[in-house]
């Protein structure tokens, strides 16, 4: 997936993609989605679930890092990742007012799979991320249910749709229709080849600022009238997930997550005051036990001096994932008559 080779857009990427050009090119990572849509009721929302590995994630945690590039966001579970550097649940992506619903559903999902949580061991740090889809979706209607979240968790796979689907169904980005996008890159190391995969939920940026491969697209044309001061703001949010099979520790993963800011700059964002720009990076290379008879755990870690290729791959993958979310998105008319063009329709209508 990602951007098709015949898309007409050249991002000048230096590194090859994985076989699917999706975050699931990192072995063990799967994605499930539920789209909740009823145009007659202005419902355009949903859930995307990412499983970092297929085992017992609570007892076999993964190293993880978080970068809060701009903190205008309401995600749950980030504080413990920042403190402990581990990920112990799937990651849910949905709309802002459905974070509580996503959290309840994910807690129940984890309790069903782990009889010890809250009894013989501590509780669980569930990770739920969000963007505000209220421009197109009746967000006050609270249309995402716990059942939707469970369906997404129970039906993950290595292939999945991009664009206006799942958690990205009602999102807007840089004056166009945003949504879910994904891409991957391969990094050849001395000892092994590593994969870096990205998945984004794009809902950010000032209309008129879109840049693809160094070419500016004036998406403010879509409105056919001068933008108001409020419309000119770089606001919204983006959730950026980075997965890799490279053996990175939590400090290195935080550094990788921070590099996603470069991808945002490449596509025309400056992370405005009202934008929640959050990146989570995790590595599947090491399993960190919840409990151990030993006081020490052996963790394999890449040398810092060898990490530049992964940084570059992460920036490229996030950049393509953002553009892919726009490319695959369908033109949508939502609540209050708000209309956002998909990138392909925008090119056909306004650029040609």
């Amino acid at each position: 997936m990602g951007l098709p080779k015949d898309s007409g857009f050249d991002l000048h990427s230096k590194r090859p993609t994985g076989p699917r050009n999706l975050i699931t090119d990192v072995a063990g990572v799967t994605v499930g989605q539920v789209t909740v849509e009823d145009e007659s009721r202005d419902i355009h929302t949903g859930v995307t679930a990412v499983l970092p590995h297929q085992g017992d994630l609570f007892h076999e945690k993964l190293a993880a890092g978080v970068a809060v590039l701009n903190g205008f966001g309401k995600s749950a579970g980030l504080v413990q990742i920042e403190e402990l550097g581990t990920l112990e649940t799937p990651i849910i992506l949905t709309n802002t007012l459905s974070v509580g619903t996503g959290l309840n559903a994910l807690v129940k999902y984890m309790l069903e799979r782990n009889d010890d949580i809250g009894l013989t061991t501590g509780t669980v740090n569930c990770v739920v991320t969000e963007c505000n889809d209220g421009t197109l979706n009746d967000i006050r209607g609270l249309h995402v249910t716990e059942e939707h979240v469970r369906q997404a968790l129970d039906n993950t796979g290595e292939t999945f749709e991009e664009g206006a689907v799942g958690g990205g169904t009602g999102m807007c980005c840089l004056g166009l229709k945003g949504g879910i996008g994904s891409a991957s890159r391969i990094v050849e190391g001395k000892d092994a080849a590593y994969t870096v995969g990205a998945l984004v939920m794009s809902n950010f940026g000032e209309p008129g600022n879109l840049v693809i491969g160094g070419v500016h697209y004036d998406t403010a044309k879509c409105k056919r009238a001068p933008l108001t001061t409020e419309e000119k703001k770089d606001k919204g949010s983006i959730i950026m997930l980075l997965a890799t099979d490279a053996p990175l520790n939590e400090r290195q993963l935080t550094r990788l997550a921070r590099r996603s800011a470069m991808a945002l700059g490449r596509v025309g964002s400056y992370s405005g005051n009202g934008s929640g720009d959050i990146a989570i990076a995790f590595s599947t290379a090491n399993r960190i036990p919840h409990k151990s008879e030993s006081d020490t755990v052996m963790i394999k870690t890449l040398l810092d001096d060898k990490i530049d290729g992964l940084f570059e791959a992460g920036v490229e993958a996030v950049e393509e994932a953002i553009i892919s979310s726009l490319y695959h998105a369908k033109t949508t008319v939502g609540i209050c008559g708000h209309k956002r063009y998909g990138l392909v329709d925008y090119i056909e209508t306004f650029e040609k």
Side-chain angles (χ1 to χ4, degrees):
M1 298 279 272
L3 279 178
K5 295 185 183 300
D6 61 353
S7 68
F9 299 111
D10 182 5
L11 302 183
H12 309 291
S13 297
K14 290 170 57 178
R15 298 185 180 277
T17 70
R20 303 182 193 89
N21 200 12
L22 295 171
I23 193 173
T24 51
D25 287 328
V26 178
V29 178
T30 55
V31 175
Q33 303 191 99
V34 171
T35 299
V36 183
E37 196 159 33
D38 184 341
E39 294 183 4
S40 67
R41 299 166 60 200
D42 293 325
I43 299 173
H44 303 276
T45 192
V47 180
T48 297
V50 178
L51 268 61
H53 73 63
Q54 301 303 300
D56 181 349
L57 190 55
F58 182 73
H59 290 98
E60 295 182 310
K61 307 178 197 302
L62 298 182
V66 170
V68 179
L69 305 177
N70 195 68
F72 199 91
K74 289 80 179 171
S75 295
L78 304 186
V79 173
Q80 185 169 307
I81 296 177
E82 288 180 327
E83 183 68 22
L84 301 184
T86 56
L87 178 66
E88 61 186 22
T89 74
I91 301 171
I92 299 298
L93 301 90
T94 188
N95 76 61
T96 306
L97 297 188
S98 295
V99 169
T101 300
L103 195 60
N104 284 341
L106 188 51
V107 165
K108 293 175 182 177
Y109 175 91
M110 296 301 296
L111 292 178
E112 289 175 9
R113 286 158 176 76
N114 299 276
D115 293 338
D116 54 341
I117 291 176
L119 290 177
T120 59
T121 190
T123 55
V124 61
N125 182 47
C126 293
V127 181
V128 182
T129 63
E130 56 75 33
C131 295
N132 183 352
D133 60 12
T135 297
L136 295 175
N137 173 50
D138 171 30
I139 193 169
R140 290 174 58 89
L142 304 177
H143 300 291
V144 171
T145 67
E146 291 186 25
E147 181 58 29
H148 293 139
V149 180
R150 289 302 300 266
Q151 288 174 12
L153 286 164
D154 291 340
N155 294 282
T156 68
E158 295 177 338
T159 60
F160 57 93
E161 291 185 69
E162 298 173 80
V165 293
T169 302
M171 303 302 171
C172 306
C173 184
L174 288 159
L176 299 177
K177 181 70 187 71
I180 298 296
S182 191
S184 68
R185 293 293 186 272
I186 305 297
V187 180
E188 294 290 343
K190 183 177 180 180
D191 301 325
Y194 300 118
T195 301
V196 178
L199 182 143
V200 306
M201 183 164 69
S202 63
N203 190 58
F204 69 94
E206 179 181 331
N209 280 12
L210 175 63
V211 176
I212 304 178
V215 178
H216 173 246
Y217 293 86
D218 185 7
T219 54
K221 296 174 184 176
C222 295
K223 193 167 182 288
R224 300 181 185 273
L227 296 177
T228 65
T229 300
E230 190 65 23
E231 289 172 329
K232 288 181 180 179
K233 291 183 178 180
D234 186 334
K235 62 179 184 177
S237 289
I238 181 170
I239 301 300
M240 296 166 283
L241 307 183
L242 283 156
T244 184
D245 53 10
L248 302 184
N249 61 31
E250 66 276 12
R251 175 184 57 81
Q252 293 170 322
L253 288 162
T254 298
R255 298 180 71 200
L256 177 64
R258 287 183 186 136
R259 267 57 184 188
S260 59
M262 283 67 165
L264 287 178
R266 284 189 183 189
V267 301
S269 175
Y270 52 84
S271 289
N273 173 68
S275 190
D277 304 332
I278 295 170
I280 302 172
F282 62 87
S283 168
T284 62
N286 294 296
R287 302 287 175 93
I288 303 168
H290 181 68
K291 292 182 178 180
S292 175
E293 295 181 0
S294 172
D295 290 341
T296 60
V297 177
M298 299 299 293
I299 300 294
K300 186 177 181 180
T301 305
L302 192 72
L303 289 172
D304 283 344
D305 192 47
K306 306 297 183 182
I307 203 170
D308 280 355
L310 297 173
F311 286 164
E312 182 177 48
V315 172
E316 287 190 1
V318 171
E319 178 189 20
E320 180 172 348
I322 293 169
I323 302 305
S324 186
S325 74
L326 306 179
Y327 181 88
H328 289 97
K330 64 182 181 181
T331 297
T332 302
V333 179
I335 194 167
C336 300
H338 294 156
K339 183 176 183 178
R340 292 296 182 272
Y341 286 86
L343 177 58
V344 174
D345 289 341
Y346 161 79
I347 295 293
E348 291 291 334
T349 304
F350 294 97
E351 291 295 325
K352 289 187 177 182

